[in-house]
């Protein structure tokens, strides 16, 4: 159970505080309700590029990082499909420094041409480092492009193409800032060795006078129901064939989201899981094989991905995976196996209560989705999953018409 | 009006409260360190053995003996071991490095006794069954090939060979054919020699109770796994390469990986503290000189860093980055420029104060809670040091001056003593400018 207090400032900024006296530190976290799904199809990668620019100085503070380090703090940020999240962890005595820094960059950025040019280069190198210069690095963008036709989840957070990043202008940057970086489009969460009332006072002092902004209520196009099997085959200079199979699944606020998550655990969480035991160890078809959900707010993907043992035929491997998926449709999973995956999720939720930073990030994300209290309902939602719900969802989800399959073949040299 | 220009006042933090361990021995003499604390009913237990690559008869044996210990034991099959851990939401993490092989158990308190029962069987009596071995080795072989397609892995391997000498056990010389030489007997033999009670140390961290201590003694305190042999102490000489610059070609690379560094004194040497501070100034944090110059000013890379990495018998400096292939030469130039600047100009007071505060914050983090504290304790145990080691660091952090750091740079950061390793695509310097 994670206890917290909540307060909303006049400008619409939501503030959530959780006190954890077991640490001398504090985390100050700001999540903005904007991610890759808010991007224009011709200007992809922008939310993430913008995240980089948030470190280029703000209207009153030329250098963001220096004051953080001066108080013994650390900071970083990440961008997902759904949100952009910034955090500072620092000794709790110096927490006010974090309020000063975060409020100033919510007030207004420095907007410099030079910072934009440099960060474009940095992001292009990140693009290469993560996606282009790694074996199998482009699997994720290929699969998104295959599985989605309309919804902005069809491009990766880093962007669809390097040219989109290269073409970004300072006018785009300003426009994006004033559209989305508003107090009424953000959640401030503070955790650690802090007093809730003091946090609310500091929030009022530093964030209270930032004007509310007009945030566009742009509808995100929803993905039409897939009606036919999709298949793509590519050849790359990699040592082994890769096989990737994805299915559309429910959005995060749907009860079936939790059912899908547990199905992925039955298939591949730990060395006792089905795919590992049957296809990696027994049949020795794969050297690596995983099942997982994408974790998106809007309807996301349930994926199975594997690398084949040298010499194994990719269609044999594909059949073997389908055999496991079909078993979930035809045979009801026994209670011991179900209880095992539920226990594991519950233990992991307890482990997650140790880290004050994780708690800050989760509280903000749930508050953005509608209610921070959801953090305390997770355990129940998993416990409500039954064997028959697993079978019903498997029946529904694991069909050809809902499936995108990528054969990622090694180039014969 | 609030002052948004200069910001709030800063509280200076100059003391750190360590959670100190209690120490006891199991009935068979195994030394245990315990850190009692936390907010949740769970516990983490490290079983640490001197069983790293230092001791292996040939490549891969130390790492794979450790990795395969959970693949079946006298009383439990691999599947049963996995079932039991998974069904309790517990974890058994295996890891081996140059000096140590270890197993770490992480579990809710209520399952500790059952989990230790299994863990004890795994640690004392692994059987390395043929079928599991063949599947696991096939897996590892493929992972090896995939990893060796990455420029950073190629650079890292060559760097370790160049700095320590190819024949030294700290060097990574693993090759694909090594996997075919492995036999089941090698694992059995290595386990029998090194995974013994005499060679084991234990760290317990979390909210543990006297009953849990008894349970630990019940499963691990017996004489049944005391060795009847002495472990032979081995010595190896470092023989760094006599060639300063190394290049590994990967012609389809979009980025080149750079490693620059050399052997350094380790934690047991008085200069270690100052060198740590110096390498932090250079590339140890986001605002460091290398990050500010090579990333934030030039945009050559997504990230660049430097650090002193201390092992039991030596430490090494490593400056590492991945840069667009066209930026490789300009990036190298900037790295050497920053190194030479440390040798020729004293660090400004403002910058040094910032680095000191930053490192103070990092030190607080490394003792934040029982689990971080147990990691810091493990560092001490593995180097045969006491908590005075951390006090010593805080002392030096307080009093070290720009001139002290400049003389350390002059002594240890000479370009002529540094090795340079690049893995990637060769581009002539003039093309890239």
């Amino acid at each position: 159970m994670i206890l917290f207090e909540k307060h909303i400032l006049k400008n619409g900024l939501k503030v959530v505080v959780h006190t954890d006296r077991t640490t001398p530190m504090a985390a100050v976290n700001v999540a903005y309700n904007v991610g890759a799904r808010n991007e224009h199809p011709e200007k992809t990668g922008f939310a993430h590029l913008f995240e980089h620019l948030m470190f280029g100085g703000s209207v009153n503070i030329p250098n963001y990082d220096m004051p953080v380090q001066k108080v013994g703090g650390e900071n970083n940020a990440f961008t997902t499909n759904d949100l952009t999240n910034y955090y500072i962890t620092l000794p709790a005595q110096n927490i006010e420094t974090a309020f000063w820094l975060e409020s100033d960059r919510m007030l207004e950025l420095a907007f410099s041409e030079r910072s934009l040019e440099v960060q474009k280069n940095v992001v292009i190198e990140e693009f290469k480092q993560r996606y282009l210069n790694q074996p199998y690095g482009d699997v994720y963008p290929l699969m998104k492009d295959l599985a989605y036709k309309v919804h902005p989840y069809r491009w990766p957070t880093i962007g669809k193409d390097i040219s989109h990043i290269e073409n970004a202008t300072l006018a785009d940057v300003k426009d994006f800032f004033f559209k989305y970086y508003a107090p009424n489009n953000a959640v401030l969460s503070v955790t650690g060795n802090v007093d809730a009332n003091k946090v609310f006072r500091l929030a009022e002092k530093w964030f209270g006078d930032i004007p509310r902004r007009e945030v566009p209520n742009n509808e995100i196009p929803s993905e039409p129901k897939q009606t036919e099997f999709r298949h793509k085959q590519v050849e790359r200079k990699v040592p082994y064939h890769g096989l990737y199979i994805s299915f559309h699944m429910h959005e995060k606020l749907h009860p079936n989201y939790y059912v899908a998550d547990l199905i992925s655990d039955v298939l591949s969480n730990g060395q006792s899981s089905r795919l590992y035991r049957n296809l990696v160890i027994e049949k020795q078809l794969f050297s690596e094989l995983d099942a997982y959900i994408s974790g998106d707010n809007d309807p996301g993907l349930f994926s199975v991905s594997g690398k084949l043992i040298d010499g194994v035929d990719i269609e044999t491997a594909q059949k073997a995976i389908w055999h496991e998926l079909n078993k979930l449709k035809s045979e009801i999973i026994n209670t011991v196996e179900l209880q095992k995956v539920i226990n594991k999720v519950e233990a992991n939720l307890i482990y997650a209560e140790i880290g004050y930073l994780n708690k800050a990030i989760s509280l903000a994300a749930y508050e953005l989705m509608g209610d921070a209290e959801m953090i305390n309902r997770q355990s129940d939602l998993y416990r409500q999953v039954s064997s028959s719900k697993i079978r019903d969802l498997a029946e529904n989800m694991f069909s050809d018409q809902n499936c995108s399959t990528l054969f990622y073949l090694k180039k014969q040299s | 009006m609030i002052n948004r220009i200069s910001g709030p006042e800063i509280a200076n933090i100059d003391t750190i409260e360590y959670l100190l361990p209690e120490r006891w021995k199991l009935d068979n003499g195994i030394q245990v360190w315990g850190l009692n604390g936390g907010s949740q009913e769970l516990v983490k237990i490290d079983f640490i053995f001197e069983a790293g690559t230092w001791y292996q008869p040939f490549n891969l044996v130390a790492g794979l003996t450790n990795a395969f210990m959970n693949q079946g034991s006298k009383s439990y099959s691999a599947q049963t071991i996995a079932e039991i851990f998974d069904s309790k939401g517990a974890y058994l993490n295996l890891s081996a490095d140059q000096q140590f092989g270890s197993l770490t158990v992480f579990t809710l308190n209520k399952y500790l006794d059952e989990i230790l029962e299994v863990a004890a069987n795994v640690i004392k009596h692994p059987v390395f069954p043929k079928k599991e071995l063949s599947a696991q080795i096939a897996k590892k072989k493929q992972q090896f090939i995939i990893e060796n397609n990455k420029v950073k892995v190629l650079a890292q391997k060559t760097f370790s060979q160049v700095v320590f000498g190819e024949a030294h056990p700290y060097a990574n010389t693993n090759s694909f054919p090594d996997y075919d030489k492995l036999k089941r007997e090698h694992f059995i033999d290595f386990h029998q020699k090194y995974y013994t009670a005499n060679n084991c140390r234990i760290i317990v961290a979390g909210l543990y109770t006297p009953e849990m201590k008894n349970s630990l003694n019940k499963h691990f305190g017996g004489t049944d796994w005391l060795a009847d042999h002495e472990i032979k102490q081995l010595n190896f000489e470092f023989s760094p390469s006599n060639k300063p610059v190394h290049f590994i070609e990967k012609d389809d690379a979009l980025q080149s990986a750079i490693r620059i560094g050399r052997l350094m004194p380790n934690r047991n040497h008085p200069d270690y503290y100052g060198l740590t501070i110096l390498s932090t100034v250079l590339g140890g944090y986001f605002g460091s000189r290398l990050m500010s110059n090579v990333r934030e000013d030039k945009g050559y890379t997504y990230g660049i860093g430097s650090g002193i990495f201390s092992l039991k018998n030596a430490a090494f400096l490593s400056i590492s980055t991945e840069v667009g292939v066209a930026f490789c030469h300009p990036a190298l130039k900037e790295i050497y420029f920053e190194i030479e600047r440390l040798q020729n100009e004293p660090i400004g007071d403002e910058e040094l104060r910032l680095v000191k505060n930053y490192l103070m914050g990092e030190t607080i983090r490394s003792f934040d809670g029982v689990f971080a504290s147990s990691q810091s304790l493990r560092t001490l145990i593995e180097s045969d040091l006491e908590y005075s080691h951390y006090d010593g660091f805080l002392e030096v952090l307080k009093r070290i001056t720009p001139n002290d750091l400049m003389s350390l740079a002059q002594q240890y950061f000479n370009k002529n003593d540094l090795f340079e390793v690049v893995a990637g695509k060769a581009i002539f310097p003039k093309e890239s400018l």
Side-chain angles (χ1 to χ4, degrees), chain B residues 262-312:
Chain B
R262 53 163 289 190
L263 282 175
M264 284 285 178
N266 72 358
R267 288 184 185 279
N268 309 74
H269 189 283
D271 283 345
Y272 173 79
Y273 300 132
L275 288 167
T276 302
I277 298 165
L278 193 61
S279 79
T280 305
V281 173
L282 180 63
Y285 67 111
F286 195 90
S288 68
R289 291 182 172 193
L290 288 175
M291 277 293 273
S292 307
N293 179 341
V294 182
R295 173 178 145 138
E296 291 298 295
D297 189 59
K298 311 286 190 317
Y300 293 156
T301 180
Y302 178 51
I304 180 164
S306 73
I308 307 276
F309 301 89
S310 184
L311 301 166
K312 191 171 181 185

Side-chain angles (χ1 to χ4, degrees), chain A residues 122-336:
Chain A
V122 171
V123 170
I124 289 167
E125 290 305 322
E126 183 181 356
F127 204 135
K128 292 182 199 163
Q129 189 170 324
R130 285 185 197 271
Y131 298 98
L132 307 179
N133 204 38
Q134 303 292 341
Y136 310 95
D138 62 341
V139 162
Y140 173 67
L142 285 169
M143 181 50 91
K144 295 194 110 190
D145 190 55
L146 187 63
Y148 291 100
K149 296 299 157 202
V150 172
H151 191 283
Y153 286 171
R154 70 183 195 267
W155 55 80
T157 328
I158 191 101
K160 193 157 62 183
D161 196 279
I162 283 185
S163 68
H164 289 190
I165 297 160
E166 284 166 342
N167 294 338
T169 66
L170 204 58
D172 294 331
V173 173
K174 281 189 189 167
D175 180 55
F176 194 83
F177 180 82
F178 288 107
K179 240 186 196 163
Y180 295 110
Y181 278 67
N184 44 315
N185 200 38
V187 173
L188 167 68
S189 60
V190 180
T191 59
N193 202 340
V194 295
D195 175 71
N197 286 324
K198 189 179 163 200
V199 168
F200 293 139
R201 267 202 314 277
L202 287 172
E204 185 60 51
K205 173 176 170 188
W206 291 100
F207 289 88
D209 62 359
I210 301 173
R212 186 185 269 277
R213 294 179 184 126
E214 188 92 14
V215 178
N217 192 7
N218 53 352
E219 287 278 305
I220 292 163
S222 49
E223 184 67 18
K225 195 172 164 54
Q226 184 178 337
T227 52
E228 78 302 310
F229 178 69
R230 291 178 190 155
H231 182 258
K232 188 179 176 86
Q233 181 164 322
V234 297
E235 281 193 7
R236 293 286 188 271
K237 216 179 138 188
V238 290
Y240 307 104
H241 295 327
L243 173 58
Y244 304 87
I245 302 177
S246 291
F247 303 92
H248 293 283
M249 59 172 275
H250 289 89
E251 70 275 13
K252 213 175 225 165
L253 294 177
H254 194 287
N256 276 346
Y257 177 92
Y258 297 87
V259 183
D261 196 16
L262 287 187
I263 292 178
S264 77
D265 289 348
V266 168
L267 288 172
S268 96
N269 193 348
Q271 294 202 354
S272 72
S273 62
R274 293 182 177 195
L275 293 181
Y276 186 83
R277 289 306 329 156
N278 299 341
L279 307 191
V280 177
I281 301 298
E282 287 299 323
K283 299 206 173 118
Q284 303 199 12
L285 298 174
F286 295 90
S287 64
E288 293 166 34
L289 186 57
D290 289 298
Y292 48 89
I293 60 169
S294 59
D296 298 310
N297 287 7
D298 292 341
L301 294 179
F302 181 105
S303 301
V304 179
S305 73
K307 295 198 180 82
L308 274 62
I309 289 284
D310 211 15
V312 171
D313 170 57
I314 196 154
E315 271 151 22
T316 310
Q318 184 187 23
K319 270 197 200 112
I321 289 176
W322 272 100
H323 178 70
E324 290 298 330
L325 300 178
N326 286 332
K327 269 203 304 205
L328 287 163
K329 301 198 265 187
S330 58
E331 297 165 18
I332 199 115
I333 166 178
N334 74 47
T335 46
V336 176

Side-chain angles (χ1 to χ4, degrees), chain B residues 350-363:
Chain B
E350 180 78 355
E351 182 183 358
L352 185 55
R353 193 168 330 122
L354 182 146
V355 168
K356 286 181 173 189
N357 287 349
Y358 171 77
L359 283 171
M360 194 69 198
E362 285 302 287
T363 312

